[in-house]
């Protein structure tokens, strides 16, 4: 009884055990894995991250005219394995893992639209490959 009273008094004057999330972030343990952050200016567009991602949470689409790639990341598919971070070339270091496990997203490709994006990622890269091949054939002098 006396011990309980002592504990009650102690708790009355100590800091609360709960945090005012999301205004105060919870402390993360060392090595905590979170969402993937992409630093576009550092990217060398090697597409290794797309290749190694187990659930296909990273997809690149390619513009058929400029051949430029666009990075897409689906945080709902990501399993936080960090394979993409490890695959990203040392010189680039365009990917990193933040400690946050959730983040609101306004990406229009989330949910069902992601399946259409996956197809577009394949189709656009294939189309660019064909365009480049055709251009090379045109440029090759005929015997
Ligand atoms: S952490 Fe894993 S699942 Fe998430 S994007 Fe990178 S490779 Fe894919
Ligand atoms: S692995 Fe790194 S450098 Fe290569 S495409 Fe992905 S983010 Fe860019």
């Amino acid at each position: 009884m006396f011990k309980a009273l002592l504990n009650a008094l102690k708790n009355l004057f100590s800091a609360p055990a709960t945090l005012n999330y999301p205004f105060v972030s919870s402390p993360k343990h060392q090595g905590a894995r979170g969402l993937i952050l992409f630093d576009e200016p550092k990217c060398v567009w090697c597409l290794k991250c797309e290749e190694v991602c187990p659930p296909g949470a990273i997809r690149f689409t390619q513009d058929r005219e400029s051949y430029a790639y666009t990075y897409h990341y689906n945080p709902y598919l990501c399993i936080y394995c960090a394979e993409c971070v490890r695959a990203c070339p040392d010189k680039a270091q365009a990917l990193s893992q933040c400690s946050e496990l959730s983040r609101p997203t306004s990406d229009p490709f989330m949910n069902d639209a992601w399946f259409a994006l996956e197809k577009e990622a394949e189709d656009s890269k294939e189309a660019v490959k064909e365009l480049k091949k055709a251009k090379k054939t045109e440029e090759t002098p005929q015997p």
Side-chain angles (χ1 to χ4, degrees), residues 10-123:
K10 206 168 94 186
N11 289 340
L12 199 63
F13 297 104
S14 59
T18 53
L19 290 170
N20 191 17
Y21 189 84
F23 305 106
V24 178
S25 299
S26 53
K28 304 292 180 308
H29 66 83
Q30 207 185 0
R33 294 172 176 181
L35 292 169
I36 296 301
L37 300 174
F38 177 57
D39 191 346
E40 186 167 339
K42 289 184 180 172
C43 184
V44 295
W45 311 107
C46 64
L47 309 197
K48 281 186 184 158
C49 51
E50 183 186 54
E51 235 170 75
V52 300
C53 178
I58 291 179
R59 292 287 180 199
F60 288 91
T61 49
Q62 195 168 18
D63 189 280
R64 288 165 172 81
E65 282 175 18
S66 66
Y67 302 166
Y69 288 111
T70 304
Y71 168 89
H72 303 274
Y73 169 60
N74 190 332
Y76 304 124
L77 279 181
C78 182
I79 56 170
Y80 316 118
C81 64
E83 280 300 313
C84 54
V85 179
R86 282 190 283 275
C88 191
D90 285 349
K91 275 189 212 148
Q93 292 188 334
L95 293 174
S96 57
Q97 203 162 26
C98 70
S99 55
E100 289 303 317
L101 289 174
S102 64
R103 183 178 62 189
T105 177
S106 55
D107 193 320
F109 294 109
M110 292 305 110
N111 301 323
D112 288 351
W114 186 259
F115 300 112
L117 178 94
E118 282 180 326
K119 190 171 178 327
E120 175 55 14
E122 295 298 317
D123 291 353

